[in-house]
Amino acid sequence: MSTDRLIIFDTTLRDGEQAPGIALTPDEKVAIAHQLAKLRVDVLEAGFAASSPGDFEAVSRIASDVRGPVIASLARAHPDDIDQAYEALKAADRFRIHVFMSTSPIHMEKMLRMTPEEVLKASVEGVRRARKYTDDVEFSPQDATRSDPDFMIEVCRQAVEAGATTINIPDTVGYATPAEFTELLRRVYAEVKGDRDDVIVSVHCHDDLGLAVANSLSAISAGARQIEGAINGIGERAGNTSIEEVIMAIKTRQDVFEVEVGCDTTQIYETSRLVSQLTGYPVQYNKAIVGRNAFAHESGIHQHGVLRARETYEIMDAAMVGQQGGQIVLGKHSGRAGFADALSRMGIELEDEEFNRAFARFKEIADRKVEIGEAELRAIIEDETQPRPDDMVELVSLHVSGGNDVTPTASVTLRTNGSERTYEGKGDGMVHASFAAIKQAFDIDEARLVDYRVVPVTSGADAMAEINVVIRVGDQTFAGRAVNTDVVEGSAFAFVEAMNKAARVRSAPTR
Ligand code: KIV
Ligand code: ZN
């Protein structure tokens, strides 16, 4: 790759997935990875293989199924982590082992309890071990921006001598400002990369002060040729660099950034939507590039200007990022042909059985609602095309009652392996009562609700809502999601899905 090409390193499935309340299954991670390959990211960090059996499985499946990007796994500078990263990655066409080790005084003293000499030694040994498996090794000095720069640079220099080909400078706690960060990067470029063409300098910024994208872009002028980030900026605390913002800044301001990106920008919106849907993290309405208002004009003056010439108030064309202009609207009189035509205009292909399920659901919702737009159609289809194993528990019907001075109660009929049974539950509200009823069908007493979000898919009194539920069982979390015009019913569907996932993991043999 020429040095004028900016490498886009996506860590949605590793650092992004570390955000609180996100609990992606390996199937969901594989689906996101395929979409990231369509977006044509250069490197796809699929997970941290040694961190859990679920992560190991996801990294291995992505390594064997997804073609296009280099597939990476994170690993601490420990022999076991590096060996597991290799085991998970080995089926990939091209793979990278990403070794990290903290270099800041606070991390070394309080977290690692290691001396600087031990940190240096472990980093070098970690990189050497990874090099035995691949010649594509990345090294990150964690908390670089709060480290003694001389020490951090020395660790990176020795990591390069040990065989690291990418040196990634993380602003782990989002502490740096653009000017400081650029200055630090200049030193790394001069003292670590020097004139070595085989070494790439990379940056990885967190958004605690809202500066992640600014810091990442400023590093380009100091020679950085790889930027790490996550779709929608998801990740620990305030999140990571929003990778879609970096891509579009480079594309839109070619006069400023003298680097190129190889991504297919028309896949940005779809990728953002899929990540939001599967993680349950809504995209803020005014989020740059992917927010629903990013290309909307409210004031009359703006609308008038855009009608005359789009460029009056738009610096990018919505079509360039895959945000569509022309809206599709169906209603209760739309038939199979109209439904099929709408799907084909939205670029969605379904197998016969999926189509039938989605159409039946569409009719059921269309009966309760006047108009069904594109966002709602997508939500219905995503809901109906999720894999449904035979042994799963299905919600057949739900009746709730409550009101002033009456304890809310729910009566829920569930079907398991063909037989139906009704359960009664009481709670603080109707959602709580239905969860209490549903829980009785599963033998998982310790399941606790840890996150519950309701996000409108569209506006208006008859709006459809997306309901996300996360439960915790032991140290694992499981997410469920549903879209519905009725929040209580949708919540019940989402809760059943999360409980089904927990039940499946419980009955699966351990690795
Ligand atoms: O933020 C960070 O420091 C990281 C490293 C592991 C690269 O995510
Ligand atoms: Zn990070």
Side-chain angles (χ1 to χ4, degrees):
M1 241 176 262
S2 107
T3 46
D4 285 332
R5 169 76 180 275
L6 182 76
I7 299 168
I8 298 294
F9 178 114
D10 180 276
T11 184
T12 307
L13 295 175
R14 198 277 298 169
D15 211 331
E17 212 249 354
Q18 282 172 223
I22 296 186
L24 296 171
T25 61
D27 280 342
E28 290 167 336
K29 289 187 186 176
V30 172
I32 292 176
H34 277 295
Q35 181 56 36
L36 289 166
K38 278 195 188 166
L39 175 61
R40 295 210 295 265
V41 300
D42 299 290
V43 185
L44 190 169
E45 191 164 49
F48 180 174
S51 68
S52 70
D55 249 41
F56 185 94
E57 182 189 341
V59 176
S60 328
R61 285 187 46 197
I62 292 169
S64 21
D65 290 10
V66 178
R67 292 291 170 258
V70 170
I71 310 297
S73 170
L74 187 68
R76 282 168 298 187
H78 293 173
D80 284 357
D81 272 32
I82 294 164
D83 297 350
Q84 286 206 49
Y86 167 68
E87 282 304 316
L89 289 167
K90 64 187 180 194
D93 275 354
R94 295 179 299 151
F95 68 84
R96 172 179 299 185
I97 300 180
H98 177 187
V99 179
F100 77 103
M101 174 58 103
S102 290
T103 52
S104 67
I106 185 155
H107 278 213
M108 291 189 293
E109 279 164 29
K110 307 280 184 222
M111 207 170 67
L112 300 176
R113 296 179 197 275
M114 285 168 82
T115 63
E117 294 69 33
E118 286 166 336
V119 162
L120 177 63
K121 185 164 176 278
S123 304
V124 167
E125 283 172 1
V127 170
R128 282 211 189 104
R129 191 169 188 104
R131 268 305 291 243
K132 286 206 271 175
Y133 294 123
T134 171
D135 55 11
D136 190 346
V137 174
E138 174 167 330
F139 176 74
S140 295
Q142 186 172 220
D143 206 13
T145 51
R146 292 193 301 168
S147 301
D148 166 8
D150 292 334
F151 174 64
M152 185 274 285
I153 285 173
E154 181 56 19
V155 175
C156 292
R157 250 186 15 78
Q158 295 209 22
V160 166
E161 269 168 34
T165 44
T166 299
I167 291 295
N168 176 49
I169 306 301
D171 183 21
T172 305
V173 290
Y175 182 69
T177 64
E180 270 172 348
F181 196 54
T182 315
E183 209 31 58
L184 182 64
L185 263 289
R186 279 193 212 292
R187 275 198 66 184
V188 172
Y189 191 87
E191 297 171 40
V192 179
K193 176 185 156 64
D195 51 14
R196 287 189 60 157
D197 287 341
D198 57 341
V199 174
I200 296 278
V201 176
S202 163
V203 291
H204 173 112
C205 299
H206 281 266
D207 209 28
D208 300 64
L209 293 174
L211 292 172
V213 172
N215 282 337
S216 303
L217 292 172
S218 72
I220 296 174
S221 64
R225 289 296 178 264
Q226 173 174 289
I227 289 183
E228 303 195 357
I231 295 291
N232 300 338
I234 59 171
E236 288 278 13
R237 308 180 311 279
N240 282 265
T241 297
S242 287
I243 210 73
E244 68 281 3
E245 293 181 18
V246 168
I247 296 170
M248 289 315 292
I250 308 274
K251 286 272 184 194
T252 310
R253 297 304 309 272
Q254 275 290 293
D255 54 329
V256 174
F257 302 108
E258 289 169 346
V259 289
E260 283 175 3
V261 288
C263 298
D264 176 357
T265 61
T266 64
Q267 293 295 329
I268 286 179
Y269 187 61
E270 180 55 25
T271 315
S272 158
R273 222 189 35 71
L274 183 68
V275 168
S276 166
Q277 182 227 318
L278 295 180
T279 57
Y281 264 46
V283 175
Q284 131 202 1
Y285 288 170
N286 60 329
K287 169 107 172 55
I289 319 295
V290 290
R292 74 147 75 143
N293 294 350
F295 297 90
H297 303 275
E298 179 71 16
S299 106
I301 296 177
H302 286 216
Q303 287 177 354
H304 180 72
V306 171
L307 284 174
R308 291 268 168 95
R310 188 185 57 73
E311 292 80 1
T312 49
Y313 286 101
E314 280 185 7
I315 57 167
M316 294 164 276
D317 186 346
M320 205 175 156
V321 301
Q323 283 236 40
Q324 260 129 37
Q327 277 300 310
I328 290 167
V329 178
L330 298 179
K332 68 174 180 184
H333 300 298
S334 309
R336 290 181 77 86
F339 185 70
D341 178 57
L343 298 199
S344 110
R345 281 192 285 148
M346 287 160 62
I348 298 174
E349 283 172 32
L350 298 182
E351 303 287 329
D352 285 355
E353 203 193 311
E354 287 175 337
F355 180 92
N356 289 341
R357 265 207 321 258
F359 181 66
R361 182 79 194 286
F362 157 74
K363 285 304 261 183
E364 183 202 313
I365 290 171
D367 261 353
R368 302 191 212 167
K369 199 170 157 16
V370 185
E371 284 185 342
I372 298 195
E374 204 171 307
E376 291 150 313
L377 276 176
R378 283 192 192 279
I380 293 171
I381 280 140
E382 273 146 14
D383 220 23
E384 288 304 315
T385 51
Q386 293 184 35
R388 285 186 161 67
D390 294 341
D391 60 348
M392 72 179 241
V393 176
E394 278 181 277
L395 178 65
V396 179
S397 66
L398 165 73
H399 299 284
V400 284
S401 56
N404 288 347
D405 303 328
V406 181
T407 305
T409 55
S411 167
V412 177
T413 303
L414 298 165
R415 186 184 303 122
T416 315
N417 291 325
S419 62
E420 290 183 11
R421 193 167 155 197
T422 299
Y423 302 86
E424 312 288 331
K426 286 188 195 312
D428 298 337
M430 292 178 194
V431 171
H432 189 207
S434 46
F435 288 1
I438 291 165
K439 244 180 116 179
Q440 299 167 43
F442 294 86
D443 187 20
I444 316 179
D445 282 350
E446 67 272 37
R448 296 279 167 275
L449 182 69
V450 290
D451 203 358
Y452 173 70
R453 273 163 276 167
V454 180
V455 186
V457 177
T458 48
S459 51
D462 64 348
M464 267 175 65
E466 179 177 302
I467 300 102
N468 291 284
V469 162
V470 180
I471 58 166
R472 180 177 291 281
V473 180
D475 60 357
Q476 284 184 289
T477 47
F478 303 91
R481 173 190 163 274
V483 282
N484 209 298
T485 48
D486 179 326
V487 171
V488 179
E489 191 177 284
S491 303
F493 274 111
F495 190 66
V496 169
E497 184 184 325
M499 292 294 283
N500 269 316
K501 284 184 185 167
R504 225 172 296 144
V505 166
R506 176 158 280 208
S507 58
T510 45
R511 192 168 72 83

